[in-house]
Amino acid sequence: MTTAPTASRTSALPRTTTERRRATVDWRLRFGFLALIWGFSFLLIKVGTGGYAPFQVTFGRLLFGTAVLAVAMAVKRERLPRGARTWGHLTVAALLLNALPFSLFAYAELTIPSTLAGICNATSPLWGMALSLVALSEDRPTRVRVAGLGLGFLGVLTVLGAWQGFQGLDASGTAMALLASLSYPIGWIYVRRTLAGSGHSNLSLTGAQLLLATAQLAVITPLFTSLPGSFPMIPLLAVVALGALGTGVAMLVQYGLVAEVGPTTAQMVTYFIPVIATAAGVAILGESLTWSTPVGAAIVLAGAALTQVKPRMGKRG
């Protein structure tokens, strides 16, 4: 999935003894690998939608991502969670964290560059901060965080060229990308409130969540698309890579990092994703780049970083 972990997201789920074991590959290498595959996800979406409908791209992404997690669960002898209530909450989480944002990004990239989609994805911590004003009492904002929120949205306006009246910008595509980014913190707030302390491992919950999201797209996709008349190879390979690497493997690496170095360090991958997405879009897809895009992206990332600053004990601001 094209979301990076945050403290509020990953702390909602329990860590088992197995998940705390130190991996043999240095965490910095895995951190870089995670940033790379998530950064390239937006390019892969763009290539995939060049040959298949957005819902088909999303369905393929979820299908191959679920397959990777199924193999990981079999190797580790993990079982799917039990209980109708848990599965009910996971169904909602699957919609908010996978099916909906993945589909929105796929539709958005029909009309906006992958570089812009990657930058919109970086606004997720800003949305999370805004939602924390009313949703999570333990994350009440400090002055620094509120300043970060304002700075971040100033960066968004810079990326979008607000002073030019948003000329040349596809409003619907940009709105879908921003809504996709908003869906992630909503989903994680829901997970934090409903699945924290469930007793199931991260791998078990994530595997079930992706399975449910795949089932959701299996129902939706035939209703809005028809079976492709041909299967162009390059877009198909892009979808396979997007699912297997950008979703399945990425989730395994993500939770391994959180278990080893903690959510605060692991969440820093968020700030590398738009940089890689922009570089990939410009270098490989030949997407245009004006000065406002990197400058605005830097402002967005600075604001997002400020929203994650933890208050000192006994102080606010």
Side-chain angles (χ1 to χ4, degrees):
M1 66 181 177
T2 51
T3 56
T6 66
S8 62
R9 293 175 182 176
T10 51
S11 62
L13 302 178
R15 300 181 201 168
T16 64
T17 302
T18 301
E19 289 169 331
R20 293 192 188 100
R21 293 176 183 171
R22 187 173 296 275
T24 56
V25 179
D26 186 84
W27 73 267
R28 296 170 187 83
L29 294 176
R30 287 179 282 128
F31 182 97
F33 176 70
L34 182 60
L36 190 66
I37 57 179
W38 266 343
F40 266 85
S41 291
F42 297 96
L43 179 148
L44 295 174
I45 292 172
K46 192 74 171 180
V47 174
T49 53
Y52 302 97
F55 276 138
Q56 293 169 346
V57 171
T58 303
F59 174 66
R61 175 182 188 175
L62 290 167
L63 182 65
F64 290 109
T66 301
V68 170
L69 289 188
V71 171
M73 290 181 65
V75 170
K76 295 186 177 183
R77 297 182 179 180
E78 290 269 4
R79 294 183 177 181
L80 290 172
R82 297 180 180 179
R85 182 167 184 163
T86 298
W87 280 90
H89 290 317
L90 284 171
T91 300
V92 178
L95 175 65
L96 294 174
L97 293 173
N98 302 115
L100 179 60
F102 289 2
S103 298
L104 285 172
F105 272 124
Y107 270 100
E109 291 200 40
L110 291 177
T111 55
I112 67 172
S114 65
T115 54
L116 179 55
I119 294 171
C120 287
N121 181 73
T123 65
S124 188
L126 302 178
W127 293 119
M129 180 65 221
L131 291 171
S132 73
L133 293 171
V134 295
L136 294 173
S137 58
E138 65 268 33
D139 285 342
R140 288 300 181 192
T142 62
R143 288 189 294 272
V144 172
R145 289 179 167 186
V146 171
L149 182 64
L151 183 64
F153 283 110
L154 176 63
V156 172
L157 294 177
T158 303
V159 171
L160 302 182
W163 68 93
Q164 297 176 332
F166 306 104
Q167 293 180 3
L169 183 72
D170 183 81
S172 61
T174 304
M176 283 189 285
L178 291 173
L179 284 173
S181 301
L182 172 61
S183 182
Y184 290 130
I186 292 175
W188 281 112
I189 288 173
Y190 181 84
V191 166
R192 187 171 179 176
R193 289 191 163 187
T194 60
L195 291 171
S198 66
H200 301 289
S201 71
N202 288 333
L203 180 57
S204 175
L205 291 172
T206 305
Q209 179 182 307
L210 272 191
L211 179 63
L212 288 166
T214 304
Q216 291 168 358
L217 263 295
V219 173
I220 293 173
T221 302
L223 297 178
F224 293 94
T225 66
S226 57
L227 190 68
S230 62
F231 293 86
M233 186 55 62
I234 292 180
L236 179 59
L237 292 176
V239 173
V240 173
L242 180 64
L245 293 176
T247 304
V249 172
M251 284 187 167
L252 296 176
V253 175
Q254 173 193 10
Y255 286 122
L257 283 173
V258 172
E260 181 174 342
V261 300
T264 301
T265 300
Q267 74 176 344
M268 294 300 292
V269 73
T270 303
Y271 310 121
F272 292 89
I273 293 174
V275 177
I276 295 172
T278 299
V282 172
I284 299 176
L285 297 180
E287 295 176 346
S288 61
L289 187 68
T290 61
W291 69 267
S292 60
T293 301
V295 170
I299 297 173
V300 168
L301 295 177
L306 288 177
T307 65
Q308 303 303 307
V309 173
K310 299 295 182 183
R312 294 180 181 179
M313 296 298 294
K315 293 184 179 181
R316 290 182 64 85

